[in-house]
DNA sequence: TCTCTGCTCAC
DNA sequence: CAAGTGAGCAGAGAC
């Protein structure tokens, strides 16, 4: 390793000790509101089902839906033979069957309440009045950090209900704001850099939206002619590429026939040949060495690359493709953290680094240090690694984490 | 009490 | 079989 792990220890120690302030009252109020919603949904669910049961039990729910109400002729099963009742299944049923729609609502509320709203206030440490996570730096397969007890790397943001929780993460006091700084499309930029694909690099040099650019290339239309549907598909393809896509996987996610998905992937590789070459090269490297590496030389061992079981082997091939990308992005933000933490200390600033969420850093920023901190954070993140691709950092600030985005 | 399963939250 | 990395909840069943 290009040694970022040892200096990072001190950064993480400080972040853990610092903690983050949480608005306990806001969460406690929200818990009551969610509880009311859940109670209402419960009644509706029992009425529609015609029987009371434990809605939180996937087993019981499956039996109600597929044995009692027979909402589907050939229900999908899980690995263990139970009826699958996951979000994808229920969403498909929701148009026809009120019960499915109600259960989706119920699950959304229950998830937020049990995992975040009721748990975070209990995690406030009495001595500091703040929530202190534990970061682990040598646990994940790719070199990413991990956060636990509580996990502060999966605080909701996608839905309106979830965003309420982000609003409860607040600045230290009235002299501070939260600063959020996140890398824009870091994994695709890293892939452009390590693959050296000229078209992908040019997209970032042009500063155009990468999903729109991919849509234009794959569909062979001008940027201005890209529809929202074309962009949506291209976004799926871009993410799929990073993960080591299959035509089947893409077809499932886009809801299109597998042959069409295969055509899209073929068109992608035609337009970004360097990406295809990178993938072949990386899988070959894994076969030869038994491991792959990130830009800082972090290794991931891939013994399954020689498995006689095709599914296992293909899984290892996807790991070979994904790990240098995800892991190099992790290398980059780790270097940025070390540099930024060093500068905050050296300049004796009051502002503090609080959280890392894979491509984002969150700070308590003293209002008098605004310009200086914004500059050193932005520079520290952008210049952490000297890549052949422009790196863009987006920053926002506010009294809470949601407004900082 | 412990472990596994199914599910869902994030990047 | 089928898109990568994680954490944590409740239910279910073993002990």
């Amino acid at each position: 390793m290009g040694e970022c792990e040892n200096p990072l220890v001190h950064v993480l120690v400080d972040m853990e000790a610092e903690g983050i302030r949480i608005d306990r009252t806001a969460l406690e109020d929200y818990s009551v509101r969610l509880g009311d919603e859940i109670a209402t949904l419960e009644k509706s669910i029992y009425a529609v089902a015609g029987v009371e049961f434990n809605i939180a039990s996937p087993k019981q729910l499956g039996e109600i839906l597929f044995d009692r109400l027979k909402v589907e002729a050939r229900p999908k099963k899980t690995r263990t033979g139970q009826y699958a009742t996951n979000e994808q299944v229920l969403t498909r049923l929701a148009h026809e069957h009120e019960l499915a729609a109600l259960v989706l609502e119920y699950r959304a509320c229950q998830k937020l309440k049990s995992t975040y709203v009721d748990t975070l206030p209990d995690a406030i440490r009495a001595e500091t009045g703040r929530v202190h996570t534990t970061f682990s730096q040598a646990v994940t397969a790719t070199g990413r950090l991990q956060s636990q007890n509580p996990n502060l790397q999966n605080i909701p943001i996608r839905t309106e209900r979830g965003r309420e929780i982000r609003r409860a993460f607040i600045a230290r006091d009235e002299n501070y704001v939260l600063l959020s700084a996140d890398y824009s499309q870091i994994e695709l930029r890293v892939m452009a850099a390590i693959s050296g694909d000229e078209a992908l690099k040019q997209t970032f040099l042009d500063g155009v939206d990468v999903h729109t650019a991919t849509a234009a290339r794959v569909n062979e239309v001008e940027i201005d002619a890209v529809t929202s549907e074309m962009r949506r598909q291209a976004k799926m393809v871009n993410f799929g590429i990073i993960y080591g896509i299959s035509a089947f996987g893409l077809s499932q996610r886009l809801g299109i026939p597998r042959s069409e998905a295969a055509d899209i992937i073929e068109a992608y590789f035609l337009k970004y040949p360097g990406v295809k070459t990178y993938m072949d090269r990386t899988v070959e490297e894994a076969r030869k060495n038994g491991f792959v590496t990130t830009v800082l030389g972090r290794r991931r061992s891939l013994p399954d690359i020689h498995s006689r079981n095709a599914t296992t082997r293909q899984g290892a091939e996807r790991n070979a493709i994904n790990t240098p990308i995800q892991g190099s992005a992790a290398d980059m933000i780790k270097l940025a953290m070390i540099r930024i933490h060093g500068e905050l200390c050296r300049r004796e600033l009051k502002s503090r680094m609080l959280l890392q969420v894979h491509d984002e850093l969150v700070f308590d920023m003293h209002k008098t240090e605004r310009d200086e901190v914004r500059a050193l954070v932005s520079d520290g993140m952008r210049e952490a690694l000297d890549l052949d691709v422009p790196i863009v950092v987006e920053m926002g600030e506010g009294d809470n984490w949601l407004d900082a985005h």
Side-chain angles (χ1 to χ4, degrees), chain A residues 187-201 204 241 268-269 272-282 295 321 324-325 328 387-389:
Chain A
E187 293 191 343
L188 287 169
R189 289 176 201 268
V190 165
M191 185 172 78
I194 64 187
S195 72
D197 183 273
E198 290 302 329
L200 195 53
K201 286 203 292 190
F204 290 119
I241 292 292
Y268 180 96
F269 285 137
Y272 299 103
V275 173
K276 173 70 173 150
T277 309
Y278 158 76
M279 291 185 169
D280 295 343
R281 199 178 66 217
T282 309
V295 291
I321 290 165
I325 299 168
S328 297
L387 297 180
D388 209 9
V389 172

Side-chain angles (χ1 to χ4, degrees), chain A residues 7 13-14 71 74 99 103 114 186 200 208 246 249 267 374-375 383:
Chain A
V13 164
D14 281 353
V71 300
R74 244 173 37 78
L99 181 57
V103 170
S114 66
I186 189 61
L200 195 53
V208 299
S246 72
R374 286 183 70 112
E383 295 164 8

Side-chain angles (χ1 to χ4, degrees), chain A residues 371-385:
Chain A
D371 294 344
E372 188 174 5
V373 168
R374 286 183 70 112
L376 80 85
V377 167
S378 174
D379 292 349
M381 289 176 76
R382 282 187 295 105
E383 295 164 8
L385 280 176

Side-chain angles (χ1 to χ4, degrees), chain A residues 166-205:
Chain A
R166 289 235 168 188
R167 213 170 260 131
F169 285 74
I170 54 179
R172 173 175 296 271
D173 61 40
E174 61 285 352
N175 297 313
Y176 289 79
V177 290
L178 288 183
L179 172 71
S180 162
D182 68 282
Y183 283 116
S184 163
Q185 304 297 352
I186 189 61
E187 293 191 343
L188 287 169
R189 289 176 201 268
V190 165
M191 185 172 78
I194 64 187
S195 72
D197 183 273
E198 290 302 329
L200 195 53
K201 286 203 292 190
Q202 193 58 48
T203 296
F204 290 119
L205 285 165

Side-chain angles (χ1 to χ4, degrees), chain A residues 254-326:
Chain A
L254 291 178
I256 58 174
R258 183 174 162 161
S259 56
E260 268 180 49
D263 290 345
I264 292 175
I265 293 170
E266 193 187 331
Y268 180 96
F269 285 137
L270 217 58
K271 298 298 175 179
Y272 299 103
V275 173
K276 173 70 173 150
T277 309
Y278 158 76
M279 291 185 169
D280 295 343
R281 199 178 66 217
T282 309
V283 169
E284 199 43 55
E285 178 191 326
R287 288 197 192 108
K288 181 166 85 60
N289 299 332
F291 62 84
V292 291
T293 57
T294 66
V295 291
L296 289 192
R298 184 191 311 280
R299 284 185 187 184
R300 179 176 184 175
S301 166
L302 294 167
D304 287 341
I305 202 80
H306 300 297
S307 174
R308 257 71 67 201
N309 180 310
T311 307
T312 306
R313 189 175 61 248
Q314 285 158 10
E317 289 170 2
R318 289 194 296 275
N319 292 151
I321 290 165
N322 174 260
T323 295
I325 299 168
Q326 192 182 111

Side-chain angles (χ1 to χ4, degrees), chain A residues 2-168:
Chain A
E3 218 34 79
C4 65
E5 299 303 340
N6 276 322
L8 187 67
V9 171
H10 305 286
V11 180
L12 297 179
V13 164
D14 281 353
M15 290 166 73
E16 291 180 4
E18 201 62 43
I20 187 164
R21 185 177 174 209
I22 282 177
D23 185 344
R24 177 195 292 271
T25 311
L27 289 180
E28 286 171 353
D29 290 350
Y30 194 28
S31 174
V32 174
R33 300 208 303 278
L34 282 173
D36 290 347
E37 272 196 77
I38 289 166
T40 306
L41 286 163
E42 239 170 46
K43 282 189 196 130
S44 309
I45 287 167
Y46 296 152
V48 173
V51 60
E52 294 199 1
F53 65 103
N54 187 344
I55 307 160
S57 163
K59 185 165 180 283
Q60 293 183 39
L61 174 65
E63 286 160 8
I64 299 279
L65 278 171
F66 303 113
D67 288 339
R68 183 183 166 95
L69 303 177
K70 298 191 176 2
V71 300
E72 209 164 34
R74 244 173 37 78
K76 198 169 160 271
K77 299 279 189 74
T78 66
R79 194 172 52 80
T80 56
Q82 257 193 108
Y83 295 123
T85 69
N86 61 37
E87 190 170 13
Q88 201 190 338
V89 169
L90 294 187
T91 301
R92 191 162 38 73
L93 294 172
H95 302 101
E96 299 283 313
H97 301 280
E98 166 120 62
L99 181 57
L102 289 168
V103 170
L104 283 169
E105 286 285 290
Y106 174 91
R107 283 211 181 131
C109 292
Q110 188 59 48
K111 172 74 179 178
L112 295 182
K113 187 169 186 292
S114 66
T115 306
Y116 306 101
V117 177
D118 288 346
T119 311
L120 286 170
D122 291 341
I124 299 173
R125 219 153 74 192
E127 314 88 76
T128 62
R130 297 163 70 87
V131 171
H132 304 259
T133 187
T134 300
F135 288 108
S136 301
Q137 61 184 124
V139 173
T140 65
T142 56
R144 276 188 174 189
L145 292 183
Q146 174 217 55
S147 158
Q148 61 179 176
N149 286 314
N151 182 358
L152 297 184
Q153 289 182 323
N154 72 342
I155 302 303
I157 193 167
R158 218 179 65 247
T159 65
E160 187 50 52
R161 280 197 192 99
R163 284 196 279 276
E164 275 305 302
I165 296 165
R166 289 235 168 188
R167 213 170 260 131

